[in-house]
């Protein structure tokens, strides 16, 4: 099936395959670097970075941001808490949930890992995004993500 755009027909199944395979390969490559250099995996880094940048978040906030089920997100936070990188604090406005905060160790870890993550991205995709077509692709993906998030498409049901 093709979709017509101003640049001609787009093979949507091919686009989907390329998008997913690129994401998987990039995620795996960054995962290997983060594990080797910092003892964490990409999903842990992303949770820690989100919590650093959004203090006072709840498990539900992480689940929404990453489109992951609440149960899986809670287990991920449990692992971070067990490592001493995250702590749960009482939520004064909702006794059923906790607010999440990085510990000092968690903050040091995410700050150190961010350089590895950013350098890895620059090495793996920086050249492709430097061109005008790379810029257009980045804008298209940003627009697609915004539309999916606005319409709450692709959120887990459980």
């Amino acid at each position: 099936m093709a979709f017509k755009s101003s640049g001609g027909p787009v093979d949507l199944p091919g686009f989907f395959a390329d998008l997913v395979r690129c994401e998987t390969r990039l995620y795996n490559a960054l995962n290997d670097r983060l594990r080797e250099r910092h003892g964490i995996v990409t999903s842990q880094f992303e949770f820690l970075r989100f919590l650093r940048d959004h203090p006072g978040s709840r498990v539900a906030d992480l689940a929404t941001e990453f489109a992951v089920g609440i149960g899986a997100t809670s287990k991920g936070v449990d692992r971070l808490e067990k490592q001493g990188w995250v702590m749960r604090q009482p939520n004064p406005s909702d006794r059923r949930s906790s607010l999440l905060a990085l510990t000092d160790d968690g903050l040091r870890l995410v700050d150190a890992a961010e350089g590895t993550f950013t350098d890895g991205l620059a090495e793996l995709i920086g050249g492709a995004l430097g061109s005008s077509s790379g810029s257009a692709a980045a804008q298209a993906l940003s627009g697609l993500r915004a539309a999916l998030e606005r319409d709450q498409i692709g959120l887990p049901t459980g």
Side-chain angles (χ1 to χ4, degrees), residues 11-23:
D11 170 21
L12 292 178
F15 172 77
F16 176 82
D18 288 344
L19 181 66
V20 171
R21 298 322 173 270
C22 284
E23 185 275 339

Side-chain angles (χ1 to χ4, degrees), residues 39-41 43-44 47-48 51 59 68 70-88 100 109:
I40 59 174
V41 294
S43 60
Q44 291 173 316
F47 276 18
L48 292 169
L51 293 174
V59 167
V68 178
I70 292 280
T73 304
S74 185
K75 286 179 185 178
V77 170
D78 288 345
R79 288 184 200 101
L80 297 174
E81 189 176 27
K82 187 175 179 179
Q83 292 293 326
W85 300 327
V86 170
M87 61 184 165
R88 295 175 195 252
L100 303 172
L109 174 61

